[in-house]
Amino acid sequence: EVTSHRGDLERKQRGNGAYTLRPLSTMSQVQVDHVFECQAMGDVLFRAEGMRGVLRAVDWQSKRRLSSQPVVVQSGLSHACLVHNSPDFLVVTSGLSNRKKQGAFQRALRMLERGEELERGIEAELAHNFSNPGLESPFEPAHARLMAREVTRRLRDLEEPLIARLADVPRGLAQGSGQGRRYEELADEVRVLYDQFAITQRI
């Protein structure tokens, strides 16, 4: 659903990868990426108590498209999908850097699920994954640290816009006060995750 934004994003990034800061033309695989990872959005959805009824109705055997889900799921999650898939929160990057970024998020989220703290924050997890010699095509350590800083910068820049957009449920999607409360709770969980990632800009 987000690939249609690729051309505009490439122009916005002046033909460079969002994290490597190198020309996309030199990359064998180019992908549109959610800066705030899909795994992270899934994590906060499951944390939000008000979303549990919606998530219980999800048909996990169905295709990933929201349009193939039961109506209660479509109505309950459509706002989250619209916000998360907004071009404001997307970038274009290499497939390799995207996979390594996903791996860092997965590792961090698993640690948090086990009750462990990210002692050095998500930036350190990203730098480790970008340069890990045990993974495919590791980046040189200095470049990996630069990439981790760039991902973290982008995450910080979208923190408040993402939270505000999630909490602002359009009237047509509100379905009464319940929907609004669910999304306010979801926005709060995003704040918590930013704190746990140690990258929040809030004082």
Side-chain angles (χ1 to χ4, degrees), residues 128-200:
H128 171 76
N129 232 48
F130 285 140
S131 63
N132 189 341
L135 300 177
E136 65 168 321
S137 304
F139 291 94
E140 191 272 329
H143 190 209
R145 290 191 295 273
L146 182 151
M147 292 170 64
R149 286 196 298 270
E150 186 61 21
V151 174
T152 303
R153 181 190 70 78
R154 287 181 178 273
L155 283 166
R156 285 196 181 105
D157 287 348
L158 65 78
E159 177 186 7
E160 289 304 327
L162 176 62
I163 288 171
R165 294 268 290 276
L166 284 172
D168 184 21
V169 183
R171 186 179 300 273
L173 297 175
Q175 299 177 336
S177 59
Q179 185 84 312
R181 285 196 300 270
R182 282 195 291 272
Y183 274 96
E184 287 175 3
E185 184 181 356
L186 181 63
D188 286 340
E189 293 296 346
V190 173
R191 291 188 181 94
V192 171
L193 186 57
Y194 264 84
D195 287 335
Q196 293 173 322
F197 279 174
I199 54 174
T200 182

Side-chain angles (χ1 to χ4, degrees), residues 3 19 21 30 37 39 44-45 61 75 81 83-85 104 118 120-121 124-125 140 161 168 175 193 199:
T3 55
Y19 312 135
L21 303 179
V30 176
E37 279 290 339
Q39 297 97 323
V44 294
L45 281 167
Q61 302 302 316
S75 60
C81 288
V83 171
H84 196 221
N85 291 338
L118 301 181
R120 296 180 297 161
E125 294 297 326
E140 191 272 329
D168 184 21
Q175 299 177 336
L193 186 57
I199 54 174

Side-chain angles (χ1 to χ4, degrees), residues 74-141:
Q74 294 183 43
S75 60
L77 298 183
S78 61
H79 179 58
C81 288
L82 285 171
V83 171
H84 196 221
N85 291 338
S86 166
D88 295 335
F89 308 130
L90 301 173
V91 294
V92 177
T93 188
S94 69
L96 178 64
S97 61
N98 191 11
R99 290 191 296 276
K100 289 179 179 291
K101 173 173 170 275
Q102 289 172 357
F105 268 76
Q106 289 169 352
R107 173 181 162 83
L109 291 170
R110 283 197 296 267
M111 290 174 65
L112 293 174
E113 188 177 5
R114 293 194 299 265
E116 302 173 23
E117 292 186 5
L118 301 181
E119 294 183 1
R120 296 180 297 161
I122 190 67
E123 184 172 337
E125 294 297 326
L126 287 159
H128 171 76
N129 232 48
F130 285 140
S131 63
N132 189 341
L135 300 177
E136 65 168 321
S137 304
F139 291 94
E140 191 272 329

